[in-house]
Structures are given as C-alpha cells and as structure tokens.
Amino acid sequence: MKIHGGLAKPGILDFSSNLNPLAPPGFVIELIRGCDYSTYPDYYYTELRATIARFNGVNEDEVVPTNGASEGLYASLMVARLLGLRGCVIVSPNYGDLEFEDYCRLIGFRVTHHVMPHGESSFTLGDVKAGEGEVVLLSNPSNPTGTLHGRDELLEIADAAGLLIVDEAYINLSDDPSMSLMGSGHGKVVVVRSLTKELRLPGLRVGYLYSTNDHLVELVRAILPSWNVNNCADEVVKGVYGKYAEAYSAFLKESRTEIPRLREFLVNGLSELGFRVYASRANFILAEAPIDAERLYGELLNRGIAIRTPRGFIGLGGRHVRIAVRGVEHEERLISEVKGILSRV
Ligand SMILES: Cc1ncc(COP(=O)(O)O)c(C=O)c1O
C-alpha cells in the first residue's frame, strides 16, 4: 500500500511533506535553468560518482547515483534478497512502512516490524534484534518520529544483522549530521541519501547510495536501469557538490540554525493547545493531538492546510500527526486555525 504526504493541491499550505523551509537556494535554480536534455546522460556517471565521492570523502566505487532515495531503498532491499537474506526487519514507525512491507513480502522476505518504544516525550530506537540472515531498514533521523539515532547504536545493529540499510534522507537537516554512517567503512551498512528534502526538489528525483561492499554495489548497478538519473539531476548534483560546494555547505549550515528555531516555535504553539509533542531533532515533529488525527486533518484541509495523519505508519495511534517545520508566518496560521478548531469541539 502506497501512502505519502505532499499530495496537497496547489494553493494548500502544506505541512504534510518535510521539505527544507529555506530551500531552494538561488544557485540550484540557476543550475536547473541551465539543464540540457538534448543528449543522454553519461552511461557510467563517471564524473557524477567522482563528485559525490569527493564531497563525501569516500571512494567513487562506493557510490551509486539513484533516482531519489526511493530507488536506493528499493534497490538495496532487492539486493539484500539476492544476497540470500531471508528476513526483513523494518524499524517502525517509518516512512513507507506498508509500502516496504508489501515490497519485501513480494520479493520473498519474511517481514517483521520492530516498533520503537516511546514514553511521554520521545521515541527511542529500543533493542533491535536482527541476526545474520536479516536486513534491517530504518531512517535516521527517523521519519516520522524525529529521533536521531547514534552512530554506535546503529553500528551495533549492523554487526549483528546481515545488512543495515540506513535512510538518511533528512540527515543534513537534522541537528547533528555527524551521526551519519556515510564513510563508516562498515561492510554491512548501506547508506541511502537524497537531495530531495534539503534542496526542496521532490520532482527532480535525485539521490545516491553508499556501500563499501563491492559485490553489493555491483548488484545494485546491475539491477538499476540504464540512465536511471536524468541529465538535469546529474548536472544539479555535480554543481551543488562541485562549483557551488561552498555555498551549498553554508546553505545547509544556515538551514540547521533556522530549523531548530522554527521547530521550537511550532512545538511551543502546539503544546499550549494541548498537543503532546515528542522530542524531534529533524525538520518535522510528531505530536499527539487532543482530538482524532483524521478529524483534525479534515478540518484543517477545509481551511486550506495539509498535515500528515498516522495512516500508513505502523506503531502510531489515532491521534498522532506529523507536521513539517515551515516559516513562522505559516506556523502562526496553522496554530491559529488549530486553536479555532479545538475551541469548537
Ligand atoms: C525518510 C524518507 N526517505 C525517503 C524518501 C523519499 O525520498 P526521494 O524523494 O528522494 O525518493 C522520503 C520522502 O518522503 C522520506 O521521508
């Protein structure tokens, strides 16, 4: 089953997809304007791989460009199966919980969910149990909980499991990107990255995968279609990680300064209205609303605002909502509309 936020119609104030509120920066718009579709992209993505590798301080043979993080996730799961792993442990709630469950079953995995425990104020990773025959799939920071897992706890999981796939789609917008496993050199780790969220480019479809396992990388390359990354995406990544690398790093730094401030504004406003907001270290928050999430969603939609309900996530209750961090003005409007709705129930 495929369920996703970000389906808000034009004109709707969208808090349902977690895109960087500061993006896109001017240099990205410039790169997109210069795109040339008159030729095929480089069949081997030689320069693209080299640029991604250089920027991340890894070897170019350890990098595979992908059509967004999604393609990296699907390809890694398929390859885990081809490598003979039989079980798939999804750390939930997680982005694409039901979608990945369906896919893993379809390709022959036995699927289990490790549901992250939570108290009054936060979700934690808990004790993920996975053995040599299993692949573990999780996101860091976790979408939807906003929990940022520590490197050591993740490496411990990788030591015990057959493979650990870490979806780092939001790592550069998190409070501490040094928790990334990029460059970890651990042979049982696959890191999946995306430029979608940090640069607000969901339509461009660009990301990449990192692994030091040669055989795994070879299999991923073999199962991906030729020219899986379009010319424009190729050019944008090369520009962002090359010519504009300094501006890009400064932009991410600025985003990481702004996001906690905007997040705090949202947390304070919603807490005052009786929401229980869980600690988040990402550019979105998970909260328990004082009323049913679907009802709140419907009422807000009637007022031109979209949020994310718990639909499609494993391990959330009927009052859980996920809300993206946006500009103060937008957040003020959301808080004011929620206040109005709650005053009438
Ligand atoms: C945790 C996570 N990973 C991956 C994706 C998909 O990223 P992309 O658009 O780069 O495929 C999303 C999109 O919502 C996400 O939330």
Side-chain angles (χ1 to χ4, degrees):
M1 188 195 294
K2 299 197 180 220
I3 297 177
H4 196 264
L7 300 176
K9 294 199 174 75
I12 296 279
L13 178 53
D14 187 12
F15 288 88
S16 74
S17 64
N18 306 317
L19 303 172
N20 184 354
L22 273 66
F27 58 85
V28 163
I29 296 169
E30 200 177 300
L31 286 166
I32 289 172
R33 284 209 185 107
C35 286
D36 175 10
Y37 290 101
S38 67
T39 60
Y40 274 102
D42 171 10
Y43 193 75
Y44 301 103
Y45 296 114
T46 310
E47 195 189 331
L48 178 61
R49 284 193 291 118
T51 311
I52 294 170
R54 205 177 316 116
F55 187 83
N56 286 289
V58 300
N59 191 309
E60 59 194 70
D61 296 333
E62 299 165 352
V63 167
V64 185
T66 59
N67 193 289
S70 298
E71 190 177 53
L73 293 168
Y74 276 92
S76 321
L77 286 166
M78 174 60 91
V79 165
R81 189 71 193 100
L82 293 175
L83 288 170
L85 302 184
R86 305 180 72 88
C88 174
V89 180
I90 302 174
V91 176
S92 300
N94 192 32
Y95 157 74
D97 256 335
L98 300 181
E99 183 176 328
F100 289 121
E101 179 181 327
D102 284 353
Y103 180 68
C104 285
R105 287 229 165 85
L106 196 72
I107 61 176
F109 276 121
R110 177 178 23 84
V111 182
T112 48
H113 291 270
H114 163 86
V115 177
M116 290 166 66
H118 71 90
E120 289 280 308
S121 59
S122 63
F123 279 71
T124 54
L125 185 53
D127 187 13
V128 179
K129 289 197 169 46
E132 287 284 345
E134 290 168 302
V135 55
V136 178
L137 171 66
L138 55 80
S139 51
N140 196 32
S142 153
N143 172 11
T145 70
T147 314
L148 187 60
H149 310 304
R151 272 175 68 94
D152 291 347
E153 50 183 344
L154 296 184
L155 289 173
E156 229 174 84
I157 295 172
D159 284 341
L163 191 69
L164 170 67
I165 302 171
V166 187
D167 174 355
E168 294 188 354
Y170 296 98
I171 195 85
N172 282 328
L173 300 178
S174 78
D175 295 352
D176 189 359
S178 75
M179 289 304 127
S180 170
L181 291 190
M182 176 64 67
S184 65
H186 195 298
K188 290 197 283 179
V189 168
V190 174
V191 174
V192 172
R193 285 286 186 99
S194 169
L195 275 77
T196 302
K197 311 295 179 180
E198 58 198 50
L199 293 176
R200 208 178 188 86
L201 296 173
L204 189 66
R205 311 304 311 138
V206 68
Y208 53 92
L209 166 159
Y210 156 82
S211 164
T212 55
N213 180 327
D214 295 345
H215 187 40
L216 183 146
V217 168
E218 191 185 319
L219 286 173
V220 170
R221 289 220 176 95
I223 63 168
L224 289 178
S226 308
W227 304 296
N228 61 318
V229 171
N230 71 71
N231 250 356
C232 193
D234 180 329
E235 286 302 324
V236 168
V237 180
K238 282 190 296 208
V240 165
Y241 284 178
K243 182 174 163 194
Y244 293 108
E246 229 172 272
Y248 168 66
S249 297
F251 169 74
L252 288 181
K253 202 167 163 210
E254 187 195 349
S255 302
R256 285 194 294 270
T257 307
E258 271 301 287
I259 285 166
R261 191 180 71 82
L262 297 168
R263 188 174 66 212
E264 196 184 342
F265 187 83
L266 191 58
V267 169
N268 290 341
L270 292 172
S271 301
E272 273 173 28
L273 297 177
F275 284 66
R276 184 205 291 173
V277 186
Y278 299 96
S280 166
R281 303 191 69 201
N283 58 314
F284 48 85
I285 56 154
L286 180 71
E288 195 172 356
I291 59 171
D292 181 70
E294 291 294 341
R295 180 168 174 202
L296 182 62
Y297 168 82
E299 297 267 4
L300 280 170
L301 205 56
N302 287 338
R303 292 161 175 80
I305 295 177
I307 58 168
R308 186 74 161 83
T309 68
R311 229 179 314 155
F313 289 114
I314 304 273
L316 294 185
R319 291 187 172 196
H320 282 125
V321 289
R322 191 196 67 202
I323 301 175
V325 166
R326 302 220 37 176
V328 165
E329 243 176 72
H330 293 326
E331 292 181 2
E332 272 173 343
R333 184 173 151 211
L334 170 76
I335 291 162
S336 148
E337 293 290 7
V338 170
K339 192 173 180 181
I341 292 165
L342 294 179
S343 71
R344 281 186 289 280
V345 294

